[in-house]
Amino acid sequence: MGCTTSIYAVGRKKKKSVPEVVVFVPSMRIPVQSDLQRPLRGLIPKDLADRLSCLRNQIVLVAEDTGGSAITELLRALEEYLCVLIGLTKKEYGVEGLIQFKWKNLEDGRHETCIANSWFEVLSVVHLMAMLTLLEADSLMIPKDHSGSGIRVVSSDCKRDAIDLLLKAAAYLEFCVRDVLVHIPPDIKKRLPTDLQDGVLEAISIQALGQGTEIQLGLAVECQKATLSVKRRLACEELSYFSQAYHRLSECGMDTNNGYGKKLLWFIKWKFLEAKAAAYYYHGLILDKGNEPSCHVSAVCCFLAAEEILSECKKACLSFCLATPVTRAPPLWGSMKHLQQKIPEVASRKSQMYGYLLEQEKALQALPDLPDFQLSLRPDDYQLPEIDPAWDSEKWEIQGQPLKEHLKDSEDEIETE
C-alpha cells in the first residue's frame, strides 16, 4: 500500500559505535508488519481499518529504518496510532482478539512475539513510548561540545528537561502496570516477554525516578544556596529509589545472568552504590557539626564508609559497561563529579583530625543509620488519549450503506466465494 511510504525525513541507521550511557534504556521492542485489514473486513469501515494499518506501518518503517533513533517522529506517530487503536479494545465492537499483533526485540530481531489481543498492542505501544522517552532523556544528558573547545557541558535547562522526561517515562510504565495489564487475561500474561511483565515495568519506572533524583542532587551540588540537609535528603531518596528498583528486579524472575537483564541489574547496582556513598558523605558532614565526641566519631565512620563504597562504585560501573551490549560511562557529572575527589580527601583529613577520638571511643565506632525520608519525586498519572471520532459507529456508512447492510453483503460474498 502507498501508506507504507514514510512521511518522515529520517536517516538510515548509523554505523555502530560504543555509546555513552547516562540514562540506561532497557531492551527496546518495535512492531513487526501485521495484517490488520483482513481480520477487520466487514466489521468496521474500510477507511478506518486502512487508517489503522497505515499508521502502524509508518511506525514499523520508521523504527526499522532508524533503529529507534527518530524519537520525535516515532512518539508523534505512536500517539496518533494510539488514539485510533483504543477503539479495538472496546467490547462493543467485538474485535478485541481478532488481530495477531507482532512485535520484536530491536537489538537482535529474533525474539518475535505474536499475540491476538488489542490490550497487548496498547501495552506494547505505551511501553515503546516509555523507552523512547528514556532515550530522549539520555540524549539530553550526554555532554556535548558545541564550541569546539573540548569542554563538554550539559546545561541546567537540559537537566531539568531530562527530569521531566524521566517523570513522563515513569508515568507511562506505571500506567502499563495499573491500567493495561489488568485487562490482559492470565493465559496471555504468561506469554508476554519478560520486559512487559509487571515486576520489570515497576523496576524500570522506579529506576527512572531514581535517575530524576540523581539529576536533582547534581543540580543541588552546583547551587550555592542548597543546604547540606537538602543534599543529604536527595541522596537518601535516590538511594531508596535504587534500592527498591534492585529488589523489585531481583524478585520478578527476570534473567539477570545474561543480556539486558544482567546489564540492567548492574546499572541499578552502580547507581545504588553512588547514591549510598553520597548519602553517607552528606550525613557525615551534618554529624560533624555536632559538639560531642561521638558526633565526630560517627562522622568519620560515615566518611570512611563513603570512601569504601566509592571504590565499589567504580567496579560496578566497569561491570555495567562490559556487560552486553558494551557501553561507555560518560565523563563524571552531577554529584559524582564533585564527590569523586571530595570523599577521599575528607575521609583522610577527618581520620587524621579525629584519630585520637577513634582510639578513645572504640565502642562508638559503628556506622550510623541513614535517615528515612518520604520520597518526593512522583509522576502525574498518565491517561490514554481520547478515542478517535472515527469510532462513532452511529455515523458508520460504507459506500453509502449502513454498516449492518454492509455486514450482510460481506457475509453473502464469503458464502459465494
Side-chain angles (χ1 to χ4, degrees), residues 20-26 134 138 166 203-204 207-208 210-211 214 238 242 245-246 249 260-274 313 316-317 319-321 323 327-330 333:
E20 290 181 8
V21 171
V22 175
V23 176
F24 180 60
V25 183
L134 289 176
D138 181 59
L166 288 163
I204 299 170
Q207 171 209 320
Q211 291 214 258
E214 177 189 15
E238 182 190 345
F242 282 112
Y246 185 87
L249 196 64
Y260 267 88
K262 180 179 181 180
K263 195 167 185 72
L264 176 58
L265 196 67
W266 271 116
F267 181 80
I268 291 173
K269 185 173 183 180
W270 168 31
K271 292 300 171 180
F272 167 82
L273 290 170
E274 283 190 346
C313 285
C317 175
S319 296
F320 163 72
C321 290
T327 51
R328 289 183 294 143
W333 65 279

Side-chain angles (χ1 to χ4, degrees), residues 66-239:
T66 66
S69 63
I71 298 172
T72 303
E73 291 87 348
L74 279 170
L75 283 171
R76 188 187 304 126
L78 286 163
E79 288 165 2
E80 186 179 357
Y81 174 54
L82 196 54
C83 292
V84 186
L85 171 64
I86 296 168
L88 294 179
T89 67
K90 304 299 181 183
K91 294 186 182 297
E92 58 263 34
Y93 300 116
V95 293
E96 189 177 350
L98 295 182
I99 301 170
Q100 294 278 349
F101 292 105
K102 299 177 184 177
W103 288 72
K104 70 177 181 181
N105 184 293
L106 179 62
E107 281 67 36
D108 57 29
R110 293 193 301 270
H111 298 99
E112 190 172 297
T113 305
C114 180
I115 294 178
N117 183 278
S118 298
W119 281 109
F120 163 71
E121 180 78 347
V122 172
L123 175 66
S124 299
V125 167
V126 178
H127 178 266
L128 179 53
M129 290 166 65
M131 297 302 104
L132 289 168
T133 305
L134 289 176
L135 194 63
E136 187 175 1
D138 181 59
S139 69
L140 287 178
M141 291 300 297
I142 298 294
K144 299 173 181 67
D145 173 24
H146 295 300
S147 64
S149 64
I151 300 172
R152 303 169 66 197
V153 177
V154 178
S155 70
S156 295
D157 287 342
C158 280
K159 291 174 184 176
R160 293 187 184 94
D161 289 344
I163 293 171
D164 291 340
L165 289 168
L166 288 163
L167 283 168
K168 184 183 285 188
Y172 286 145
L173 294 166
E174 286 187 5
F175 174 80
C176 288
V177 175
R178 184 185 67 243
D179 295 316
V180 181
L181 283 174
V182 293
H183 293 286
I184 298 178
D187 59 317
I188 293 180
K189 278 185 186 176
K190 292 177 184 177
R191 295 166 51 203
L192 292 175
T194 306
D195 46 2
L196 293 183
Q197 300 288 344
D198 56 356
V200 178
L201 294 172
E202 288 174 2
I204 299 170
S205 174
I206 297 167
Q207 171 209 320
L209 297 176
Q211 291 214 258
T213 309
E214 177 189 15
I215 299 170
Q216 286 184 327
L217 176 58
L219 289 168
V221 170
E222 295 168 2
C223 177
Q224 293 182 349
K225 294 181 180 180
T227 64
L228 283 177
S229 296
V230 168
K231 295 171 188 175
R232 180 181 66 175
R233 180 189 178 102
L234 287 169
C236 289
E237 286 187 29
E238 182 190 345
L239 175 62

Side-chain angles (χ1 to χ4, degrees), residues 293-302 304-305 351 354-369:
S294 60
C295 296
H296 301 307
V297 171
S298 294
V300 173
C301 289
C302 287
L304 292 174
S351 295
Y354 298 121
Y356 71 97
L357 282 178
L358 292 173
E359 287 297 321
Q360 294 173 10
E361 308 287 349
K362 287 185 178 180
L364 299 176
Q365 290 187 36
L367 189 62
D369 292 333

Side-chain angles (χ1 to χ4, degrees), residues 28-57:
M28 194 178 294
R29 300 173 62 258
I30 62 172
V32 178
Q33 201 80 33
S34 304
D35 184 1
L36 274 64
Q37 290 154 311
R38 187 186 299 272
L40 296 174
R41 182 183 176 190
L43 297 175
I44 65 174
K46 184 176 183 300
D47 58 346
L48 181 54
D50 288 347
R51 188 172 167 212
L52 269 166
S53 181
C54 182
L55 289 170
R56 196 177 193 276
N57 287 342

Side-chain angles (χ1 to χ4, degrees), residues 222-357:
E222 295 168 2
C223 177
Q224 293 182 349
K225 294 181 180 180
T227 64
L228 283 177
S229 296
V230 168
K231 295 171 188 175
R232 180 181 66 175
R233 180 189 178 102
L234 287 169
C236 289
E237 286 187 29
E238 182 190 345
L239 175 62
S240 182
Y241 281 124
F242 282 112
S243 176
Q244 289 179 32
Y246 185 87
H247 288 300
R248 198 68 189 94
L249 196 64
S250 302
E251 296 166 355
C252 70
M254 186 179 194
D255 182 6
T256 54
N257 295 313
N258 300 287
Y260 267 88
K262 180 179 181 180
K263 195 167 185 72
L264 176 58
L265 196 67
W266 271 116
F267 181 80
I268 291 173
K269 185 173 183 180
W270 168 31
K271 292 300 171 180
F272 167 82
L273 290 170
E274 283 190 346
K276 194 172 184 180
Y280 274 119
Y281 172 73
Y282 289 119
H283 190 43
L285 290 179
I286 290 174
L287 290 174
D288 198 37
K289 290 181 178 293
N291 296 319
E292 297 297 323
S294 60
C295 296
H296 301 307
V297 171
S298 294
V300 173
C301 289
C302 287
F303 297 139
L304 292 174
E307 185 178 30
E308 184 178 344
I309 295 165
L310 201 60
S311 65
E312 293 181 46
C313 285
K314 296 173 183 176
K315 296 175 185 176
C317 175
L318 181 61
S319 296
F320 163 72
C321 290
L322 294 178
T324 305
V326 175
T327 51
R328 289 183 294 143
L332 288 174
W333 65 279
S335 62
M336 280 298 118
K337 185 177 180 179
H338 171 74
L339 298 181
Q340 195 76 26
Q341 183 177 351
K342 204 71 178 173
I343 288 175
E345 285 180 359
V346 172
S348 175
R349 188 173 71 251
K350 295 294 183 179
S351 295
Q352 293 174 17
M353 186 181 299
Y354 298 121
Y356 71 97
L357 282 178

